[in-house]
Amino acid sequence: MRLFSLFNNPLRRLRGRARRNIRHALFGFSSAESKGDRGERRVARILSRVRFCSDNHLLNDLILSWPDSGTCQIDHVIIAESGIYVVEVKNYSGWIFANEKNQYWTQVLTTGYRGESIKNRFYNPIKQNASHIRCIRRILGNYNCPVYSIVVFSDDAEFKALSYEDDDVFIAHFCNLGKVIERIDARFAGSLSSEEVDGIYQTIIASIVDVEKSEHVENVRQCVSKRQERLDNGLCPRCGAPLVVRTARSGPNAGVSFLGCSAYPKCRYTKSLK
């Protein structure tokens, strides 16, 4: 597990709270959508200053067409000789309780002088970014290249519990996002040739669709409905193959039964029986 973050700093949190209080007093409470847009713009500025991120290979706020149907909205994609970086922005502050395997994570915000707390659930961004990566891999087809999932949070976010094991997943804050990417690039530089980088870039560009975000949101809703319909019929929500009962043979869940896609290893979807 790796968490590239600043040490927990009470002064940083106090300064962040003071900034939020002043902003709310002057401009009122902003919507989650506008806050998310501000986070994406900030990350775009950070990425544009990363040493190897040329304008030609940095894509911001792109909507791709799935090879089968629907659309996929991705905050940022970098194509470099060290691989593809898929960046998901969560401009969330407060305490974050997170586990790679959970469907949802929890944000806890303290408000007022009495320390009242507000809890918000949001979809696991690691799983969310994993779907973005699946879309990119299906678009690329024969390109066998490393892809890194990076989830970036506000500097005011403090992880109270964080668990993840995937070597290709990285969690960062705004303040050190550039360093995280440069460390990955230094370690895996040369994984792709410049010709492969250009080819991947052109393939992704060709799959960008010109649709409004509202249309994309509707596509997502239809996709969620379709996935649930497949589950209700005992089918894999990803590929539509029948789900079968399997039993884990090793690891911490050895002996535990679960639902798995019958198309394994081509499709690795699993679901707990609990």
Side-chain angles (χ1 to χ4, degrees):
M1 182 183 79
R2 301 170 313 288
L3 171 62
F4 295 100
S5 174
L6 294 177
F7 293 106
N8 292 336
N9 188 335
L11 291 178
R12 185 191 68 189
R13 295 197 298 273
L14 289 174
R15 289 195 297 269
R17 184 176 299 177
R19 287 195 301 270
R20 290 194 300 274
N21 290 338
I22 293 173
R23 185 167 59 246
H24 293 161
L26 292 175
F27 306 106
F29 288 87
S30 59
S31 67
E33 183 177 1
S34 62
K35 185 176 181 180
D37 289 341
R38 289 199 305 272
E40 290 180 25
R41 289 195 296 270
R42 180 175 178 183
V43 169
R45 290 194 298 270
I46 293 171
L47 295 179
S48 67
R49 295 193 294 266
V50 174
R51 175 179 51 79
F52 62 88
C53 291
S54 66
D55 292 338
N56 291 333
H57 298 138
L58 171 60
L59 301 172
N60 300 312
D61 191 20
L62 61 159
I63 298 180
L64 303 176
S65 61
W66 274 92
D68 46 7
S69 62
T71 52
C72 174
Q73 192 271 331
I74 305 178
D75 293 337
H76 310 278
V77 174
I78 304 167
I79 305 103
E81 293 185 5
S82 52
I84 302 174
Y85 301 74
V86 182
V87 181
E88 174 65 24
V89 181
K90 294 299 178 187
N91 193 15
Y92 294 168
S93 56
W95 294 348
I96 306 295
F97 294 83
N99 187 296
E100 179 182 22
K101 297 181 180 179
N102 292 346
Q103 192 79 356
Y104 293 92
W105 290 5
T106 302
Q107 174 197 40
V108 179
L109 295 168
T110 57
T111 61
Y113 295 102
R114 297 181 180 179
E116 298 94 343
S117 62
I118 299 175
K119 292 184 179 180
N120 301 309
R121 290 201 319 164
F122 59 98
Y123 187 66
N124 182 339
I126 293 179
K127 291 181 178 292
Q128 183 179 1
N129 220 25
S131 68
H132 299 163
I133 291 173
R134 284 197 300 273
C135 179
I136 288 177
R137 285 198 180 280
R138 293 185 67 177
I139 288 171
L140 295 180
N142 295 328
Y143 280 103
N144 184 16
C145 59
V147 182
Y148 314 106
S149 173
I150 301 178
V151 180
V152 55
F153 280 82
S154 161
D155 293 335
D156 295 326
E158 180 182 353
F159 290 93
K160 288 297 184 179
L162 178 65
S163 175
Y164 67 103
E165 299 177 353
D166 195 326
D167 290 336
D168 294 329
V169 173
F170 301 84
I171 309 294
H173 288 95
F174 290 158
C175 61
N176 63 342
L177 173 61
K179 291 182 179 179
V180 170
I181 294 176
E182 288 180 352
R183 289 177 186 175
I184 301 172
D185 180 67
R187 181 178 178 185
F188 297 101
S191 298
L192 298 171
S193 66
S194 58
E195 291 77 13
E196 288 174 318
V197 170
D198 290 336
I200 290 170
Y201 171 76
Q202 294 298 334
T203 302
I204 292 177
I205 284 290
S207 297
I208 294 178
V209 292
D210 184 17
V211 299
E212 297 293 334
K213 281 195 174 182
S214 58
E215 183 178 345
H216 164 68
V217 171
E218 181 59 30
N219 288 336
V220 171
R221 288 175 180 169
Q222 292 179 4
C223 182
V224 171
S225 177
K226 181 179 180 181
R227 287 170 62 92
Q228 188 58 52
E229 182 180 352
R230 284 178 171 178
L231 273 175
D232 293 342
N233 292 319
L235 302 176
C236 174
R238 290 183 186 171
C239 68
L243 293 174
V244 296
V245 178
R246 301 184 186 277
T247 302
R249 297 180 180 179
S250 60
N253 296 319
V256 177
S257 296
F258 62 94
L259 286 176
C261 181
S262 58
Y264 178 89
K266 184 177 180 180
C267 177
R268 296 176 178 269
Y269 175 81
T270 61
K271 186 178 185 299
S272 172
L273 284 173
K274 294 182 181 180

